[in-house]
Structures are given as C-alpha cells and as structure tokens.
Amino acid sequence: MEFDRFIVPAVTIFIAALLFFFMLFPLGAILKLSFFKGGEFALANFTLQNFHKYFTTGYTLNALWHSLYVSFATTGIVTVIIFFFAYALTRTTISGKTFFRNIIMLPLVAPSIVQALALIYLFGRNGLVTAHLLQTKWNIYGATGIIVSEVLYCLPHAFVILYTTLAAVDIRLDEAAESLGASPFKVFTRITLPSAKYGIFSAAALTFNLTITDFGNPVVIGGNYNVLATEIYAQVTSLYRFDLGATISIILLVPSMMAFLFNYYISRKTFSMISGAAKPVIPPSRPFKKIIFTSYCSLVSFSIIVIFVTVVLGSFVNIWPYDWTLTLRHYSFPSIAGYSAIWTSVWVSLIVGVVGAFITLVAGYVMETRKSFFKQTIYLLSVMPAAIPGLVMGLGYILAFNKPYYFFYGTPWIIVINIIICNFTLGILSSISNLRNIDPSIEEASISLGGDTLRTFFQIIFPLSRVAFFQNFVYFFMRSMTTISAVIFLVSATVHLAAIEIIMLDNDGWTASANAMCTCIIVIVMVMLGILHLVAKKTGRRPAGLAAEV
C-alpha cells in the first residue's frame, strides 16, 4: 500500500506537467516573440514595435475588422436560425425529428473546409447556380462566402447548446400562461425567450469563438478578404515574419479568450436554469404551426444536404459543371502524399483517440474522486485549451519545439500531442460527467476489501466507464481526422495529413480531388460512428453527447 500513497500525486503531477509543457510553454514562446526582440526574455529587449507596426499598417489592421465583422454577422445569423430549429424539435410535435437532428449534426463529420468547397461549386465564378443557371457575374468569394460557410459550419455546435436548454426548461410555464389567456406571441416573448436567454447567449459566444478562430473556410473562399487566422498563416509561411505572426496570434487570442470566458460564465447560469421537473410531454401542435416548422426545418436540412451532395457528386463527375460523366479519376490524387496521407491520418487519429480518451479519463478520475491537492489548478488548465485557437497553438509549437533536442518535432508524434491538447477540454468534461454518475459506494467497497488505486481503477472504474471511454475515443478520432488549423503548421515533407491535403489540392487547382479527399474523410468518420452505435447497442447503453447526436 506504500505505492498507493504516491500514485495519485504522481498522476496529478504528470497531468499538470503535460498541460504546462505542451500548452503554457508554447503560449509563452508566442508572448516572448511578440513582446521581446528576437524572442529573448530580458528587460532591455522589451518592445511594442510589432504591435505598433500591426496597428499602423492598413492591410493587416483590416484583418481585425474583417474578423470581427464576419464573426458578429455569423453569430447573429446562426443564433436566430438555430434557436427556431431547436424550438421546433423541443416545443412542437412535428414529424421527422430524428432525421432533422441527425442532419443538423452532419457538418461535424467533415473538415470545416467542406462548406467552402461546395459553395464555390455552386456560387463561385464558374458556379453551377451563378454562372450557368442564373448567368450572373456575381460570385460568393469574400465576406459573403465566409459568413455563409461559417454559418453552415457552426450550426451543429450552437444546436447542441440550445437544444439542451430548450429541452430542459419546464414547458409547464408556457402552458400556465396560455391557460391564463396569453396569446402565443406574448407567451413566446415573455416566457420562452427569457427562460432560454442564457442558452442563447452561450450559443452566440461559442459561435463567435468558432468563427473568429476558423482557418479552413476563410482560406478557401475568402479570396482577397483577409482575416486574422489567414493573416497569421500568410505572415509565417509566405513572408517568414514569425514575430508579426506571433503578434497577430496575441491579437486573435484576446477576442477568443473573451468569448470563451463569457461562454463559461453563461454556461454555469444555463445549468442553474435547468429544471429536473421539466415536463417531457409536449401538447399537440396546431396544423398550421406544424406546417410552418416542418417547412423551416426542411429548408435548413436541405441546405446542409446540398452542401454534402455537392462535394460528393463533385468528386465523381468528370468536369463540374460542364461534363457530368461519372468517373473515379479524381480519386487518383495528383498530390505527393495521395492515399498515404489518408493512411497517416487514420493511424494518427487512432492513437489520438486511444491516448486522448485514456488520459482524460484518468485526469477526470483523479480530480473527481481522489480530490488531488491542487484540483482547481488542474481543472483550470484543463479547460483553457478551449479558449486557444488551434492556429495559435500550432504556431506556438513551432516556436517552442523547433530545436534539435526536441526529438518529436517534425514527426507524427507532435501532431498527436497537439491534437490531444487542443481537444483536452471536452474530453475531460465528458469524463467528469460520466464519473459523477458512478455510485461512490462501489469504489469505497473496493477499497474496503483491500483493493488499491490501480486495481480499483482498472477493475471497477474503467469497465463502468467503457461507453464514455469509447465516446471520447470517437470524439478525439473525429477531431483528429477533420482538424486543419491546429496542425497546418506541423505537417512536414515526410508527414502528410488528409485534411491538410485538401487545402493543398485546392490551392493547386485540383478542386475535384479536394472534394474526393473530403469524401474519403467523411466515409471514414461515418464508419467509426457506426462502430460506436454498434458498441453502444451491444452494451445496451445509448451513447450521449456529440457523437451520439451524429
């Protein structure tokens, strides 16, 4: 039992060291390069020259206004669209709710760039709708394209929050108001909206954070309309201005952090509004109301389906939109990596899934049941990755680890570490939520019968958490297959990833092959989700969370 006394402190220190070294250390490297000449930490080297240069250069300063504009516009549009979508699924008796819920979650299984690729095929300079059906010279490149693609990308993320909020708020308040003679409009504005206000604010903050930090859609459909994320990439890869890239990263970090802190504060308020006495039975909706909301949900779902059908179909036709002959030639990828990039993505994602799910489960177990000595510090470090844009973290990894003695730099292992750290927050929150559902008396019984910490964890806790473990595995796997911004700085001549190959193919003019690569990723992720449902069905437990919704 002497060993048992040290296992919890050792694991706690390991988790803290992991987050400190692979999260705070890279951020520190960015801060040093932004505020100190040559990145050398010394009082004499302190300078604000990089910030002065940024704010006095019109082109780079415009990136900040562009980012804020598209983020606020996307936030407003997504919040309105998804509120009524979630309202239809939680407060009406329309048919096809399962279908609508699955369709709205579909964008999660593909890289964010998929929306931009489809929109270009439909509304680009040579798009099917703009150039051929309407024969207009208008195209979707620029701010409009970024906003539309970001709206489609953010819909499932905002939906999860608003669906949970509206489903949990007690519907009997609405019924009481109606029975007292209030009109439907007055019930909606005086009861429904106020009861969901924290969920609305939380969804809006999350949407703003996702939009301002996204890299995939702006780099493909933005054209000359630069935003902060694309400007960081341009400064580092085209101009080799690492100092200015680091400075823009700090500027991007400010609104991202503010949105995250606002979301974190509002989320706690949201949970306090949720009532366990919420009435699950929804009174039958009037026919007119059902027609309106069914049409509305169908329109939103149709938009998402069109995006995916366009990308998949575009990968099989000979020349879009001139020659509709079906062909497989776009699947002979003309890039250097080709199918090896897909294979690398798969095995990297499998490792990310297993390691990420296991580490977050262990960290959640130590924090939640063993009450480690600096639990609050570990928890704060664990939720911080959600506030850090992936592109900023990737740049920090270059600045911090591009040294000969960091043997993992330039190998797939730095990508594995980066993806695990960037997605650490949701994994650990999911693990903690699952561990709170396990009766503490089971663990107490194990310890009283002589079981040590390791035996209790592997023989009691882990089997009881196997479904949650597999959900986290699928989440990490899915994020690893689709993420772009977090790893775009970390791929090298010998390490290629499928999601990054999509951008390379599109930049080289092989858009149909980029669609084919997108299709391959979608199929692989869907197969993994199918396995999750089979496992859940075999164990008799329905999966929860994002993976379950998809």
Side-chain angles (χ1 to χ4, degrees):
M1 285 292 180
E2 191 67 24
F3 172 76
D4 198 45
R5 290 174 53 193
F6 297 101
I7 187 67
V8 173
V11 172
T12 305
I13 292 171
F14 171 75
I15 300 294
L18 185 76
L19 292 170
F20 180 86
F21 190 65
F22 290 112
M23 183 181 67
L24 295 184
F25 182 49
L27 281 184
I30 289 180
L31 284 170
K32 277 202 306 181
L33 192 58
S34 302
F35 289 102
F36 297 93
K37 289 180 181 176
E40 296 295 329
F41 184 72
L43 193 58
N45 291 336
F46 181 79
T47 178
L48 294 176
Q49 187 179 356
N50 290 325
F51 289 92
H52 180 266
K53 182 177 179 57
Y54 177 84
F55 285 107
T56 55
T57 305
Y59 180 76
T60 54
L61 185 58
N62 278 341
L64 175 61
W65 306 127
H66 291 168
S67 286
L68 293 174
Y69 170 68
V70 297
S71 299
F72 277 115
T74 303
T75 300
I77 296 170
V78 168
T79 306
V80 172
I81 290 176
I82 214 62
F83 176 83
F84 288 104
F85 195 92
Y87 181 89
L89 267 58
T90 55
R91 299 298 181 89
T92 70
T93 53
I94 62 172
S95 304
K97 289 184 178 181
T98 303
F99 171 77
F100 291 135
R101 192 168 60 243
N102 288 334
I103 294 298
I104 200 71
M105 302 303 291
L106 207 52
L108 290 178
V109 307
S112 64
I113 198 175
V114 73
Q115 286 82 17
L117 289 173
L119 289 173
I120 289 172
Y121 261 34
L122 294 172
F123 305 104
R125 295 188 185 93
N126 199 28
L128 177 65
V129 177
T130 48
H132 294 268
L133 295 181
L134 301 179
Q135 296 185 342
T136 175
K137 291 184 179 179
W138 179 87
N139 62 72
I140 201 169
Y141 287 99
T144 305
I146 296 175
I147 291 170
V148 176
S149 56
E150 295 293 1
V151 165
L152 293 166
Y153 165 61
C154 293
L155 285 177
H157 301 274
F159 171 76
V160 172
I161 296 175
L162 279 173
Y163 181 83
T164 306
T165 303
L166 288 172
V169 173
D170 196 343
I171 199 173
R172 288 174 295 187
L173 293 173
D174 297 38
E175 294 177 23
E178 287 179 358
S179 66
L180 292 172
S183 64
F185 180 76
K186 186 172 285 186
V187 171
F188 180 76
T189 54
R190 301 285 181 84
I191 305 293
T192 308
L193 275 180
S195 63
K197 61 183 177 184
Y198 292 124
I200 295 171
F201 290 144
S202 181
L206 178 64
T207 302
F208 182 87
N209 192 312
L210 289 171
T211 305
I212 203 167
T213 59
D214 184 39
F215 171 76
N217 283 313
V219 78
V220 171
I221 205 171
N224 295 323
Y225 194 86
N226 63 330
V227 295
L228 287 173
T230 56
E231 197 56 36
I232 294 172
Y233 184 72
Q235 291 292 335
V236 172
T237 59
S238 301
L239 304 176
Y240 301 103
R241 288 295 307 269
F242 284 84
D243 54 346
L244 204 54
T247 303
I248 301 173
S249 297
I250 298 299
I251 294 168
L252 174 61
L253 203 55
V254 173
S256 173
M257 277 278 190
M258 290 174 65
F260 168 76
L261 292 174
F262 182 71
N263 186 26
Y264 182 70
Y265 171 76
I266 293 297
S267 295
R268 298 178 66 177
K269 292 279 188 183
T270 305
F271 287 126
S272 66
M273 288 285 294
I274 292 174
S275 169
K279 190 178 179 181
V281 179
I282 305 170
S285 303
R286 289 168 296 168
F288 180 71
K289 187 176 183 180
K290 290 174 72 172
I291 293 172
I292 292 293
F293 278 104
T294 301
S295 303
Y296 178 77
C297 291
S298 300
L299 182 63
V300 175
S301 301
F302 176 75
S303 303
I304 295 173
I305 291 171
V306 165
I307 292 295
F308 279 78
V309 168
T310 301
V311 167
V312 175
L313 186 61
S315 71
F316 286 107
V317 298
N318 196 22
I319 303 175
W320 180 287
Y322 300 100
D323 183 357
W324 294 92
T325 308
L326 295 180
T327 177
L328 290 174
R329 70 183 181 91
H330 303 307
Y331 284 82
S332 300
F333 299 111
S335 60
I336 298 173
Y339 280 99
S340 69
I342 297 177
W343 167 242
T344 304
S345 284
V346 169
W347 72 259
V348 163
S349 300
L350 287 171
I351 295 175
V352 167
V354 173
V355 177
F358 184 74
I359 287 182
T360 50
L361 181 62
V362 170
Y365 174 70
V366 168
M367 279 195 289
E368 192 59 28
T369 64
R370 291 307 175 131
K371 310 298 181 190
S372 53
F373 40 88
F374 51 102
K375 172 183 174 180
Q376 290 302 325
T377 305
I378 297 288
Y379 183 78
L380 180 63
L381 289 173
S382 300
V383 298
M384 274 186 67
I388 304 171
L391 206 67
V392 175
M393 191 76 89
L395 179 58
Y397 273 44
I398 293 180
L399 301 176
F401 301 124
N402 188 12
K403 310 285 189 310
Y405 42 86
Y406 290 121
F407 66 91
F408 51 82
Y409 186 80
T411 70
W413 302 112
I414 195 167
I415 295 174
V416 170
I417 295 167
N418 177 274
I419 298 173
I420 291 174
I421 297 297
C422 286
N423 297 285
F424 202 83
T425 304
L426 200 143
I428 199 163
L429 291 180
S430 174
S431 297
I432 289 175
S433 175
N434 174 73
L435 289 166
R436 285 177 179 170
N437 293 326
I438 298 176
D439 191 344
S441 61
I442 297 175
E443 187 183 2
E444 291 169 5
S446 171
I447 294 173
S448 65
L449 292 171
D452 56 22
T453 299
L454 285 179
R455 189 173 299 178
T456 302
F457 178 79
F458 283 107
Q459 296 187 359
I460 305 295
I461 301 299
F462 191 78
L464 290 174
S465 306
R466 62 186 183 280
V467 173
F469 173 84
F470 200 74
Q471 289 169 15
N472 278 351
F473 166 79
V474 172
Y475 169 73
F476 276 104
F477 180 88
M478 191 164 60
R479 292 295 300 158
S480 180
M481 286 295 300
T482 59
T483 190
I484 292 175
S485 58
V487 296
I488 193 162
F489 286 131
L490 302 178
V491 292
S492 63
T494 56
V495 181
H496 301 273
L497 294 176
I500 305 302
E501 284 294 299
I502 298 171
I503 291 182
M504 303 302 176
L505 288 167
D506 184 63
N507 286 343
D508 292 340
W510 300 100
T511 308
S513 295
N515 288 334
M517 190 69 81
C518 269
T519 305
C520 291
I521 292 177
I522 292 169
V523 170
I524 292 169
V525 174
M526 294 293 283
V527 167
M528 187 55 69
L529 287 168
I531 295 174
L532 166 67
H533 282 276
L534 285 177
V535 170
K537 190 176 180 181
K538 198 169 183 63
T539 56
R541 295 178 63 177
R542 186 185 182 280
L546 292 180
E549 298 295 347
V550 179

